[in-house]
Amino acid sequence: MTESASSKDQRPYERFTLKMAVELAAPHTWPASILPVLVATSCAVVHSPALDVLMVCALLAICILMQASVNTFNDYYDFVKGADSEEDNVDVTDAVLVYNHINPASALHLAVGLLVAAFAIGVYVIYCAGWIPLVLGIIGAVIVVAYSAGKTPISYLPIGEVVSGFVMGGLIPLACYQVLTGELDFVVLVWSIPTIIGVGLIMMTNNTCDIEKDIEVSRRTLPTLLGRPHARKLYHGLVFCWLVAIAVIIAVFFTRGTIVLVFALLASYPLLKALLSNPLAPPARIGAMAQICSVNIALGSFYAAAILASSAIAFVA
């Protein structure tokens, strides 16, 4: 633990409360795990005659628990490495270890507990669906730990956005679709391109706003290597690719749901305009994170709705 986290304050630790645990789990980031499940479920409805609602709930619970575990691990390791401080434009509810004098080990125990709970529910999924979700789950769990832990965690490297996007936006839908349909179909990774981009942009939003702070702690993220002007250009390009990917995938694979895209554009335009106008600088960090999460919710929900509409319209026809 760093000197700033341990030796400057010798007061007894405060009590670790349920409110603090929820703040560490960061519910506002859960769309990054909920939307991939929603998209996978929508695809499963289109290609499978029956849907196990209990299994969907189990998958959703596993993904939320793993997301909460990632958030807690990340906060813990950032704190003990001295990467977070009160000067970093971090909301009070988004930096429990910075603004509360609690034992950091409590956060570590919480992170491990959330991961164990996810695997406990996973036992049921594995019992019903076989070994494939077990393999995918192990891969995901290893990456969850490697993302924040170790001497050089993935989140400190230029591949952080790609890894988080692929694992949460791609691997989760692939695993969920296999469990719900019994088929390991890698075309799901194509259908998951919008969620891969959307989740990756959540991380890129945070990292672009934190460029100066990350340079100080030798965190070599993609935005620190590019610099803010080039990072913003790439960011805007990825947002454009996100929209194009949704339109193309719906037009090619779920054609009857294309009409939903009109409503998606109308509803998302104000959110997209605000996001693209954000300077992605430290003072704008809190607003930027809220904006990218809102855009993920809007585009992810309409994408899933377009997929479902394809099935519904086909059924009526």
Side-chain angles (χ1 to χ4, degrees), residues 30-270:
W30 291 356
S33 56
I34 294 173
L35 292 172
V37 177
L38 179 62
V39 169
T41 302
S42 300
C43 293
V45 168
V46 172
H47 295 96
S48 181
L51 187 69
D52 187 337
V53 177
L54 179 60
M55 185 62 74
V56 172
C57 292
L59 292 170
L60 191 59
I62 290 170
C63 293
I64 290 175
L65 286 167
M66 292 191 72
Q67 171 74 55
S69 179
V70 169
N71 294 337
T72 308
F73 271 124
N74 204 41
D75 282 2
Y76 169 78
Y77 283 107
D78 278 353
F79 179 75
V80 299
K81 291 178 180 180
D84 283 342
S85 71
E86 295 183 21
E87 292 76 35
D88 292 329
N89 296 290
V90 180
D91 188 82
V92 174
T93 62
D94 197 30
V96 176
L97 296 176
V98 172
Y99 292 102
N100 297 275
H101 185 60
I102 58 174
N103 190 340
S106 299
L108 181 59
H109 296 157
L110 174 64
V112 173
L114 290 168
L115 200 56
V116 170
F119 268 87
I121 300 174
V123 171
Y124 166 73
V125 174
I126 294 165
Y127 174 78
C128 296
W131 62 270
I132 293 178
L134 172 62
V135 173
L136 295 176
I138 291 174
I139 293 172
V142 170
I143 295 176
V144 163
V145 176
Y147 188 81
S148 300
K151 185 177 179 180
T152 307
I154 293 173
S155 62
Y156 279 57
L157 300 174
I159 59 172
E161 288 85 354
V162 175
V163 172
S164 62
F166 178 75
V167 172
M168 301 192 67
L171 201 59
I172 286 177
L174 179 64
C176 291
Y177 185 86
Q178 190 280 327
V179 169
L180 295 173
T181 65
E183 297 180 10
L184 182 63
D185 192 343
F186 288 99
V187 74
V188 175
L189 292 177
V190 175
W191 300 338
S192 301
I193 289 174
T195 53
I196 291 173
I197 296 174
V199 172
L201 281 172
I202 293 177
M203 176 56 62
M204 191 171 183
T205 303
N206 182 74
N207 288 344
T208 305
C209 292
D210 285 349
I211 286 176
E212 292 79 8
K213 182 188 78 169
D214 289 342
I215 290 175
E216 290 179 5
V217 296
S218 300
R219 192 172 190 172
R220 297 176 60 81
T221 64
L222 180 60
T224 64
L225 297 182
L226 294 175
R228 183 166 285 110
H230 292 297
R232 287 192 72 221
K233 288 180 182 178
L234 176 60
Y235 189 92
H236 291 178
L238 288 170
V239 171
F240 177 74
C241 291
W242 192 4
L243 296 172
V244 170
I246 291 173
V248 171
I249 292 169
I250 293 299
V252 173
F253 295 98
F254 308 100
T255 309
R256 293 186 178 89
T258 305
I259 184 63
V260 176
L261 298 181
V262 177
F263 300 99
L265 184 60
L266 291 174
S268 303
Y269 177 76

Side-chain angles (χ1 to χ4, degrees), residues 22-23 25-32 71 93-94 202 289-290 293-294 297:
V22 172
E23 289 174 351
H28 62 280
T29 68
W30 291 356
N71 294 337
T93 62
D94 197 30
I202 293 177
M289 291 304 294
C293 286
S294 296
I297 291 171

Side-chain angles (χ1 to χ4, degrees), residues 267-283:
S268 303
Y269 177 76
L271 301 174
L272 288 164
K273 183 178 179 181
L275 177 64
L276 294 175
S277 299
N278 195 296
L280 300 181

